[in-house]
Amino acid sequence: MKDHQIPKATAKRLPLYYRYLRILHNAGKLKVSSTELSEAVQVDSATIRRDFSYFGELGKRGYGYDVESLMQFFAKTLNEDHMTNVALVGVGNLGSALLKYKFHQSNSIRISAAFDVSEDLVGRIVDGVPVYPMDDMKEQVKIQQIDVAILTVPAQHSQDLVNDLVEAGIKGILNFTPARITAPKGVLIQNVDLTNELQTLIYFLHSGNVLSHEEPVEELTGEE
């Protein structure tokens, strides 16, 4: 990989490329062109070639890309050969939906623990995931070597919980709350505001503008 930093927009497209390459590999396809990839993932071929160029020479001019080797390369890049344990903080409506999702598009992501304040949930196994009280969160994050947390709690409690997660050793947080949380440098925060996403979509729908695939509306920050 080249020394300069990979753009965030490129990083966000890598799982998309990887998933489609897995589909091609399972179908027995041996090679694929950037044009074929473009039609499948709805990203223009020039963008795909630019994305791939950050990682060196991944294909041959006039030949295309070897599906198996490219799939294995992105699997390694995305740490698909390493299981990442994830904590879900807040087992409300959205949290419960995320537990049911099971992240079926990846073999390397597992929600291993959930945390909530509800006495009706604590101590239960919900969709295969044990639900612990919030008081046990820091201890369980350390014991289970959890690196990533999904936050689906009321906004007013989010920052205090983030502070506890960071103290326990969490390195990345997927924030579904409307609060803009902060964390020390080195802890990545990705904000997913569903209302904002919908409003953005409606804006582009009625404005006549085109929402580019090269301009993801999600926000990824490494807070100071």
Side-chain angles (χ1 to χ4, degrees):
M1 186 183 303
K2 296 184 180 180
D3 292 335
H4 53 268
Q5 186 176 8
I6 305 302
K8 292 175 184 177
T10 293
K12 287 173 180 288
R13 285 189 288 266
L14 298 186
L16 182 63
Y17 300 146
Y18 173 67
R19 288 197 299 268
Y20 184 65
L21 287 165
R22 283 183 59 187
I23 292 172
L24 291 179
H25 183 261
N26 291 338
K29 193 170 179 65
L30 299 179
K31 66 178 183 177
V32 64
S33 68
S34 58
T35 301
E36 290 174 300
L37 277 174
S38 173
E39 293 173 353
V41 301
Q42 294 296 295
V43 176
D44 68 85
S45 57
T47 297
I48 291 175
R49 289 192 295 270
R50 184 174 67 244
D51 287 346
F52 286 8
S53 72
Y54 290 109
F55 301 93
E57 296 296 329
L58 299 181
K60 297 179 181 178
R61 184 177 296 276
Y63 175 82
Y65 303 98
D66 182 89
V67 170
E68 183 175 7
S69 62
L70 192 60
M71 180 189 71
Q72 291 175 350
F73 174 81
F74 282 125
K76 184 176 181 179
T77 301
L78 294 167
N79 289 316
E80 283 289 313
D81 57 350
H82 172 74
M83 176 62 70
T84 298
N85 288 327
V86 178
L88 175 71
V89 184
V91 192
N93 292 332
L94 178 56
S96 296
L98 291 172
L99 288 180
K100 293 181 185 297
Y101 179 61
K102 297 184 185 300
F103 297 92
H104 61 276
Q105 294 174 325
S106 173
N107 296 320
S108 65
I109 301 173
R110 176 183 64 191
I111 296 181
S112 61
F115 302 93
D116 204 274
V117 296
S118 171
E119 295 181 357
D120 294 332
L121 292 171
V122 169
R124 291 179 52 197
I125 304 294
V126 179
D127 289 292
V129 179
V131 181
Y132 299 91
M134 290 292 189
D135 289 343
D136 290 353
M137 186 174 68
K138 288 196 286 187
E139 179 184 17
Q140 287 299 323
V141 165
K142 293 177 180 178
I143 290 174
Q144 299 188 39
Q145 297 181 316
I146 297 174
D147 296 319
V148 176
I150 302 173
L151 202 60
T152 57
V153 297
Q156 64 267 30
H157 303 303
S158 57
Q159 187 60 58
D160 288 339
L161 288 170
V162 167
N163 296 341
D164 290 340
L165 288 167
V166 170
E167 184 179 335
I170 287 290
K171 300 301 182 186
I173 298 172
L174 187 62
N175 176 33
F176 278 93
T177 79
R180 282 302 177 256
I181 55 179
T182 60
K185 185 178 181 180
V187 177
L188 290 178
I189 299 173
Q190 184 165 341
N191 296 303
V192 182
D193 188 327
L194 297 180
T195 300
N196 182 68
E197 300 289 337
L198 185 57
Q199 288 176 331
T200 302
L201 176 63
I202 292 171
Y203 163 74
F204 280 101
L205 180 66
H206 292 290
S207 68
N209 293 321
V210 177
L211 180 59
S212 170
H213 290 285
E214 297 182 50
E215 299 289 345
V217 290
E218 299 96 331
E219 180 181 351
L220 181 65
T221 59
E223 298 291 342
E224 296 290 335

